Amino acid sequence: MRAEDPRPILLKDYAPPAFLIEDVRLEIDLDPATTRVRATLKMRRNPDAPRGPLILNGQKLALHEVAIDGEMLSGNAYQTDSEHLTIPDAPDGAFTLEILTSCGPEANTQLLGLYLSSGIYCTQCEAEGFRRITYYLDRPDVMAVFTTRIIADQKFAPVLLSNGNLTASGKLPGNKHFAEWHDPFPKPSYLFALVAGDLAHVEDKFVTQSGREVTLRIFVERGNEDRCAYAMEALKRSMRWDEEVFGREYDLDIFMIVAVSAFNMGAMENKGLNVFNDKYILARPDTATDADYAAIEAIIAHEYFHNWTGNRITCRDWFQLCLKEGLTVFRDQEFTADMRSRAVKRISDVRLLRSHQFPEDQGPLAHPVRPDSYIEINNFYTATVYEKGAELVRMIHTLAGPKRFRKGMDIYFERHDGEAATVENFLDALADGAKLDLTQFRRWYSQAGTPEVLVSGRYDTARQTYTLKISQVCAATPGQKLKEPYHIPIAVGLVGPDGKDMALQLDDEEKAKGTTRVLNLTERTQTFRFHNVEEKPVPSLLRGFTAPVTLSANLKERDWVFLMTHDSDPFNRWEASQRYASGLLISLVEALQAGTRLRKGEAFAEMTRKLLADKKLDPDFVAQMIQLPGEQTIAQLIRENVDVDAIHEAREHLRLSIAGAIKDELLAAYRRQRIEGPYSPDASHAGRRALRNICLSYLAILPGSDGVALAARHFAEADNMTDQIAALGVLVNIDCPEREEALAAFYDQWKDDHLVMDKWLAIQATSSLPGTLDNVNRLLRHPAFTIRNPNKVRALITSFATANQVRFHAADGAGYALVADKVLELDSLNPQVAARLLGAFKSWRQFAPKRRALMSKQLARIAGVEGISRDVFEIATKTLA
Ligand code: TRP
Ligand code: ZN
């Protein structure tokens, strides 16, 4: 047991700050061991808050001086503890507080606050990192204008960057120099950024819709200038798109992005100075995959869009995190849908939601999109806040339609620009602008859990009606036993026996109109009746996935086969293929457990055959259709006493039987989808590669050595990373000499490229071969790995723990022990990353008893360690609870 458990922070305890800060001047004298920071804060009491002491946040700071209005405070005029600086008797009128502190960027392994990574000074202040730079009111509802003067060694750090516009720079004695930056937009401290180092940059410009010219710069380590072009293009497209779709223009004269190699998350939207994990900037055809290009485009857009949804309008407190994150994810999803294939984007977003958010929402870490309690806020940058948060915005968009949604957004920007807002502010603006009643809808923000929607459809031949009886339930989640019904928009269509959509006419409608209707489910049970339905249809339910729910309907296997061939809604067509395939896989798992005959899945092979022959279909969409649900998806659907080995075997059996049944067609498609000419990362080429590489993955497993030879040739002939890694990904699961040769050749080719080496680590960590655990242990000691770099941890350890179900869940518990050991080792270096890795245990209750016991043993071991971080403590104890 711990001496003192950390106390949770509660939404209901929110109180406005006792003091406000209007203006901040920072003078930061950079040094690896001791960086001196002089902060000059123009402050006053908050007229809207009760009178109280001045309590500033601060962590790991050495305090040298405190002065008020130029007068040094004596030691008894203030107190400090490990997290605060308290001044009991601050003046009543406006005053200037001056604080001199120092911190040590070189020793900062947590990568929060100011740190030094590969010779570059860099900051990460969200959520509560600024307090590691200076004492401050480190909360998002305190917004100030920042001026930052950076002083550094000229040689070590020729480039000095901060938010806003450069206002002065010059030489200083002792080989030093300085730069001064001014950001005219008041902002909370979490958006502060500083970067200094020997960086190269590429430059471009953008002319806004009102004709202002903006300088665009991407800063990278020297030598990487040739990998920035795609990120720059994506940035310009994002800027244009936000003008066209949301009417939002950029507001400073310069927009800068810096790519760094040690970063806790994907990227950060600091005002005018985004900082990125370099994995989401650097791309060249030979080093980055199509998926990397797509992620770069999406994250560039995401951070850029934060300038309005996050920065100009920020969050009142961290409970409102979804206000900026859910909304901004929705915006980046729409951007990608417009840049690429809308259908494929929707499919991949729903895949992500189901694989990451649903397990969270259905497990011990379930929390509302707006949580009401947390121990460590860094643990709440979750799939629920981000991805489900985006789904909630999407539902409002569905309910309002694009025009009225835009009106609502305009009102939101008009009302709250320059403010720290709440979810209520957002919903009020949308309700007013879009003319919607969102009263019941609000429950989505406060109730955790994935609602289950049950549908039963009935055709009445005599009356020619089709009736849908729809009900909803939501299981209990931690701290929430009973749930009130949600407002759930459900888009439906009726598909006739000819495969065509029928015109729809509901009870209260005079005539039929359209073929897709959004039904509003607001009660626990409701019926919806369609008229003039001349033949018995198959219902196509939840088209486009209009709500983040699970759906069960009285549909049979043959209905899914029908829909996967005919549904006009591409999302539901894909959904039908996955429903059919997962039903089949579950029956195979049961057959394996019972020792009965295994079905072959002819209908899936048949569908694949037809899709491969259909030249009109988008190859990227076909690739989505013919891909079987993953092993974790099947585990989630089974949900109890999950048998990971049977799932693996069932899926391999099905893959093999499909490959065997349509070998010729797979080979023909493999040949047809080969692209001649230079590589382009655009969606049409990427889609063809995706389809071709899936064909390869089927062909490679066929008995005999043909398949392996094909994969080895694919590897050798690849002229881009997508094809090269696809071939390696196939070979890594087959025990053959070609596997070892390809891994060695890949290493030789790319050993000096840290981002490509991450792929080499990850692909081995996800191999389903029995030697994988030993190999991961070997790789942990390989020079390509270091536990101090989060990307390396994610590549090797997180991939193993979250993307290799059979090996992580090895029956002897060795996989669990390895990951738990690494969580503990990491905890003393970087608790944020350690806690995230521990998330791999969140679904422990769904496994068979032996594994359940082994997993809970590791969780208990971690929770019991004295001095464990708040981050890991919170995840371990909540997961066990
Ligand atoms: N706000 C970032 C985003 O765009 C998330 C983020 C980046 C973050 N770095 C972080 C959150 C460090 C917490 C800690 O989504
Ligand atoms: Zn974000």
Side-chain angles (χ1 to χ4, degrees), residues 136 141 154 210 248 358 416 549 557 573 759:
Y136 200 76
D141 56 355
Q154 167 103 48
S210 71
R248 297 293 120 194
F358 279 19
H416 299 291
V549 300
E557 188 174 285
R573 190 171 176 191
K759 300 183 194 301

Side-chain angles (χ1 to χ4, degrees), residues 285 288-291 293 340 618-620 623 669-670 672-697 714 718-724 726-727:
T289 62
D290 292 330
Y293 278 94
R340 294 165 177 252
D618 171 13
D620 211 354
Y670 176 81
R672 192 170 55 247
Q673 295 302 343
R674 186 196 161 93
I675 297 169
E676 303 292 342
Y679 173 92
S680 153
D682 70 24
S684 72
H685 275 196
R688 292 183 62 184
R689 276 187 291 272
L691 181 53
R692 183 165 185 255
N693 287 329
I694 288 182
C695 293
L696 173 70
S697 73
H714 194 91
D719 65 354
N720 61 77
M721 182 50 74
T722 306
D723 287 336
Q724 197 180 12

Side-chain angles (χ1 to χ4, degrees), residues 514-717:
T515 53
T516 298
R517 188 79 86 254
V518 178
L519 307 176
N520 284 289
L521 179 69
T522 53
E523 328 243 318
R524 293 199 196 272
T525 301
Q526 262 167 281
T527 30
F528 301 88
R529 193 163 51 201
F530 294 95
H531 291 270
N532 297 321
V533 182
E534 284 164 16
E535 285 169 292
K536 185 178 181 206
V538 177
S540 170
L541 305 163
L542 203 65
R543 281 185 160 173
F545 201 71
T546 47
V549 300
T550 59
L551 183 125
S552 30
N554 61 334
L555 294 184
K556 303 239 160 51
E557 188 174 285
R558 62 161 192 276
D559 297 318
W560 296 123
V561 172
F562 178 79
L563 289 172
M564 78 190 186
T565 325
H566 297 294
D567 204 318
S568 68
D569 180 69
F571 176 84
N572 262 11
R573 190 171 176 191
W574 168 78
E575 176 74 357
S577 78
Q578 303 298 298
R579 289 280 184 140
Y580 167 71
S582 40
L584 188 61
L585 284 165
I586 291 168
S587 75
L588 286 171
V589 169
E590 287 161 358
L592 279 165
Q593 288 165 337
T596 52
R597 200 186 65 87
L598 299 183
R599 296 166 64 197
K600 282 212 159 90
E602 289 84 357
F604 200 86
E606 199 42 47
M607 174 199 76
T608 304
R609 186 205 306 276
K610 280 198 196 122
L611 289 171
L612 289 175
D614 189 337
K615 303 223 165 66
K616 289 195 303 279
L617 281 172
D618 171 13
D620 211 354
F621 178 71
V622 176
Q624 300 291 334
M625 290 281 295
I626 70 175
Q627 207 167 334
L628 292 175
E631 292 175 21
Q632 282 166 310
T633 306
I634 302 307
Q636 261 179 62
L637 292 169
I638 295 174
R639 264 174 108 166
E640 274 169 19
N641 290 314
V642 166
D643 176 348
V644 294
D645 298 311
I647 292 174
H648 181 68
E649 204 182 324
R651 193 167 180 277
E652 290 311 298
H653 163 85
L654 185 54
R655 270 165 34 86
L656 201 56
S657 80
I658 293 167
I662 55 166
K663 179 178 182 211
D664 295 344
E665 288 84 351
L666 288 164
L667 199 56
Y670 176 81
R671 295 203 174 110
R672 192 170 55 247
Q673 295 302 343
R674 186 196 161 93
I675 297 169
E676 303 292 342
Y679 173 92
S680 153
D682 70 24
S684 72
H685 275 196
R688 292 183 62 184
R689 276 187 291 272
L691 181 53
R692 183 165 185 255
N693 287 329
I694 288 182
C695 293
L696 173 70
S697 73
Y698 276 116
L699 290 164
I701 56 171
L702 283 170
S705 60
D706 281 17
V708 168
L710 186 71
R713 203 171 341 115
H714 194 91
F715 180 82
E717 288 173 2

Side-chain angles (χ1 to χ4, degrees), residues 126 267 269 302-303 306 324-325 328-329 386:
E126 187 176 5
E269 70 265 23
H302 179 95
E303 306 309 332
H306 268 314
K324 73 178 180 81
E325 294 305 346
T328 304
V329 171
Y386 277 66

